[in-house]
Amino acid sequence: MDNRQLPSWQVGIEPSGIRYTAGAAADLLSAAASVGIAVPFACKNGVCELCEARLLSGSALNTRNQQTIPIGARLMMCRTAALDHLELEISAVMAAGKNPPRKFQANVVDVRAISHDVYRVELQLPRRRELSFHAGQYLAVNLPDAEPCYFSIASSPSEPHIELHIQASPDWVSAQKVIDALTSGETVNIELPYGKACLACMPEKPLLLIAAGTGFAQMKSLVDYLRGTSCSQTVKLFWGVRRQEDMYLRSMASQWEQDWPEFTFQPVVGDDEDNDWSGHHDQLVRAVLDSGADWNNVEVHVSGSPAMVYTLMDALLEAGLPADRFFSDVLEYAPRN
């Protein structure tokens, strides 16, 4: 039988509430991974038992011994196929923004300048499989005798190392201290993950990603994550900066546009000819409003200063965007009174 004619089943994961579709020809782990659900695994052959789940309801098949799995029994998702709609219990799979922050000591793998004031930092956790986070979340760097410094994670959750983009101009004392510490030290104490403006699975609507400055780091995490799934939704990235040299990975974003048919990139640069940069991100907001998006059928993720985020949010809600489709961590750490 052609696989396109095989039935597909809905799989629900508790307590996260995440749902996805599993075809009869795929194991539950592969089907979950294809839509970006982060089920822990190592071996994919039923030995490591990291992808263990408990069957709450429905009918499933153990593909190793071809036996039907009884309700209430444990199963390995890599060795299980759906025979009906399923409900599973997997405590290791968390809903978006629900991962509890944990402290880790990370090894500093690399620190390098990628623009006149932005550094790319690469960190390695000795026990990477113990860490679960979602695309779009952020972390805290904890230096001795200093307040935590927060930075967006720029890498996908599936990557073995953690990438950061840190803007550290000479007059930004706290960020410069972090770069100095990372450059001179072999390890650093971090705490993660933080943030609710993230993705735990493939989106159901087209995405608009809007970043100002190093807010691009959060969007890079989202894009890298989505490119590793079977995402069929369109994704459009707006990246606003004051000067051409501030768009530190413009070539990367342009390459995404060439390689990924569903993706488009619109740079918004203050010193482009005929542009008028107001200092309050009005130009970026205008570019988003002029995009022609169907505001009733889109999901928006924004990273930037509170002033930019709230200006954009007000404009999009007035244009018809439902409030529950606007996501930004600013709404959590800098709420309006």
Side-chain angles (χ1 to χ4, degrees), residues 242-291:
R242 292 180 180 276
R243 299 167 297 177
Q244 291 281 0
E245 57 265 33
D246 295 333
M247 195 163 283
Y248 54 90
L249 287 177
R250 183 169 184 162
S251 61
M252 175 181 286
S254 298
Q255 191 65 48
W256 290 338
E257 188 171 39
Q258 292 182 36
D259 296 343
W260 188 15
E262 288 77 19
F263 179 83
T264 55
F265 169 48
Q266 183 168 338
V268 183
V269 183
D271 62 8
D272 278 350
E273 187 177 359
D274 297 328
N275 282 339
D276 178 22
W277 187 265
S278 70
H280 295 286
H281 306 285
D282 292 344
Q283 181 183 337
L284 179 58
V285 173
R286 289 199 305 270
V288 175
L289 287 173
D290 292 342
S291 66

Side-chain angles (χ1 to χ4, degrees), residues 194-214:
Y194 290 99
K196 297 179 179 178
C198 55
L199 292 175
C201 58
M202 193 166 55
E204 297 180 353
K205 295 183 179 296
L207 284 183
L208 286 187
L209 309 179
I210 300 109
T214 51

Side-chain angles (χ1 to χ4, degrees), residues 78-100:
C78 65
R79 290 294 182 180
T80 302
L83 300 176
D84 195 353
H85 301 306
L86 304 179
E87 293 292 329
L88 305 176
E89 181 181 62
I90 314 173
S91 59
V93 174
M94 304 296 291
K98 297 298 184 180
N99 320 65

Side-chain angles (χ1 to χ4, degrees), residues 141 143-147 149 151 166-170 172-184 188:
V141 174
L143 300 181
D145 303 318
E147 291 295 316
C149 292
F151 303 101
I166 299 179
Q167 187 172 22
S169 57
W172 290 11
V173 177
S174 60
Q176 191 60 57
K177 283 183 177 180
V178 171
I179 290 299
D180 291 343
L182 293 172
T183 303
S184 61
V188 64

Side-chain angles (χ1 to χ4, degrees), residues 224-243:
D224 285 350
Y225 164 77
L226 290 169
R227 292 180 70 198
T229 72
S230 57
C231 180
S232 59
Q233 300 291 349
T234 59
V235 180
K236 184 164 187 175
L237 169 66
F238 295 84
W239 187 7
V241 295
R242 292 180 180 276
R243 299 167 297 177

